Amino acid sequence: MHIYLMDIPKIPLAGSKHYESHRCWEDIFDAIMNAKHLVYIAGCSVYTEIKLVRDSKRSKPGGDTKLGDLLKKKASESVRVHVLIWDDRTSVGSLKKDGLMATHDEETKKFFEDNDANCMLCHRDLSGSIVQDLQITTMFTHHQKIVVLDAAMPNGDTNRK
């Protein structure tokens, strides 16, 4: 059996560079490091202990910093840092603190307490029967993440709308 991969289209970036898909986490690290105004992250799980730079052949200054510490650092530099994570109602105190889906939502919320970063849990709206509410509470079908931040405009303009 032969598997043929289609050519991945080149996505242009500033400075005649092109996006390389195998560097996703490293690109996010660079973008957060260069943020001057805003870092907003939302997702079902934002684990503060993860390292974004993982290739030991391409080390960079600060590359061994964990995501949570990186976000706290940016917040201390007057960058507005907001983290929104889905509330896993199955994360119950010391019984199962990381939740049924191991989202670490309570740990992440606690990690960002008492510093300049803002972290909120997003509760799911439950309005069905007890059985439906229990099912919705324990089922997750989304693993998406979104990272929104400021970055240099390709033309160097700093006026943002």
Side-chain angles (χ1 to χ4, degrees), residues 29 49-53 59-67 69:
F29 171 83
E49 296 296 307
I50 195 167
K51 291 183 181 179
L52 299 175
V53 178
S59 64
K60 50 179 57 196
D64 60 342
T65 305
K66 296 174 187 173
L67 176 61
D69 295 327

Side-chain angles (χ1 to χ4, degrees), residues 2 10 14 22 24 26-27 50 59 70-71 78 84 88 91 105-106 108 111 114 117 129 135 137 141 152 157:
H2 296 280
K10 290 186 176 184
H22 66 277
C24 176
E26 189 174 329
D27 290 342
I50 195 167
S59 64
L70 176 60
L71 294 173
S78 298
L84 177 68
D88 180 351
S91 47
D105 59 323
E106 298 293 331
T108 302
F111 180 87
D114 300 323
S129 69
Q135 185 179 21
T137 299
T141 59
D157 188 6

Side-chain angles (χ1 to χ4, degrees), residues 73-153:
K73 175 184 179 301
K74 294 308 292 187
S76 73
E77 297 171 358
S78 298
V79 173
R80 290 177 41 204
V81 174
H82 299 285
V83 179
L84 177 68
I85 46 180
W86 312 152
D87 184 18
D88 180 351
R89 293 185 182 194
T90 65
S91 47
V92 184
S94 59
L95 180 63
K96 183 73 174 138
K97 68 179 180 179
D98 62 346
L100 183 64
M101 299 301 293
T103 61
H104 302 277
D105 59 323
E106 298 293 331
E107 292 174 53
T108 302
K109 173 87 171 121
K110 185 173 228 162
F111 180 87
F112 288 111
E113 287 178 357
D114 300 323
N115 67 71
D116 295 323
N118 181 30
C119 180
M120 293 182 62
L121 298 180
C122 180
H123 302 282
R124 300 177 90 181
D125 183 23
L126 306 177
S127 57
S129 69
I130 293 172
V131 173
Q132 287 173 323
D133 288 354
L134 180 61
Q135 185 179 21
I136 290 169
T137 299
T138 58
M139 282 181 31
F140 291 83
T141 59
H142 51 8
H143 298 281
Q144 74 276 12
K145 308 261 187 293
I146 184 169
V147 179
V148 178
L149 45 83
D150 62 330
M153 297 291 285

Side-chain angles (χ1 to χ4, degrees), residues 28-40:
I28 292 171
F29 171 83
D30 291 340
I32 292 172
M33 285 292 287
N34 293 320
K36 302 287 185 226
H37 306 285
L38 171 71
V39 176
Y40 173 69

